Amino acid sequence: MIQALNLAYEVSLRPAAAAAWPLRPAVLALGVLLVGLFVGHTARLQAYKRGWRGRAVTPGAYLRGNLLMLAALTLAACLVFGAAPAAGADRPLVRMLGLALTLATLLNWPHGRPMRAAGA
């Protein structure tokens, strides 16, 4: 997907496209990442809620929830990466991409706490 976005950029980018974007690219990128974080977190909690058994989350629900979170943040990072060249501000947007991937790693670290019974 990333290579396809790069190809689309190389083939069709026009210099006027950067001037036509009225918002600051870094602010827009941060907004995309925050929306991705919110959507991923909500989806993960809903997956956990469906798999709640007793006082713990089932392993399948834990896996689904973490995959949904990772997918939402990865999609946000891909959108930021795809918009970086078109916006004409590569460096701040690539930094936001790094932030998204760091968040995905930190928030989805496989610690397994939700699968353990509360108080155990």
Side-chain angles (χ1 to χ4, degrees):
M1 180 174 180
I2 292 173
Q3 290 174 349
L5 289 172
N6 266 339
L7 179 63
Y9 163 68
E10 294 293 336
V11 171
S12 67
L13 183 69
R14 296 183 189 104
W21 199 353
L23 296 175
R24 286 188 53 103
V27 173
L28 185 60
L30 183 61
V32 167
L33 294 177
L34 289 175
V35 167
L37 181 64
F38 175 75
V39 168
H41 185 68
T42 303
R44 180 172 63 176
L45 290 178
Q46 291 300 315
Y48 284 2
K49 187 165 65 172
R50 276 188 232 112
W52 202 262
R53 301 292 178 264
R55 294 169 43 188
V57 174
T58 62
Y62 179 75
L63 178 65
R64 275 189 301 279
N66 282 338
L67 286 177
L68 287 170
M69 178 68 158
L70 183 61
L73 284 174
T74 302
L75 178 62
C78 286
L79 288 173
V80 169
F81 180 73
D90 296 325
R91 201 168 274 164
L93 293 176
V94 171
R95 286 183 187 150
M96 293 296 156
L97 173 63
L99 174 65
L101 296 177
T102 302
L103 281 173
T105 302
L106 292 175
L107 293 174
N108 286 295
W109 194 260
H111 51 71
R113 278 185 223 124
M115 293 187 295
R116 290 186 219 128

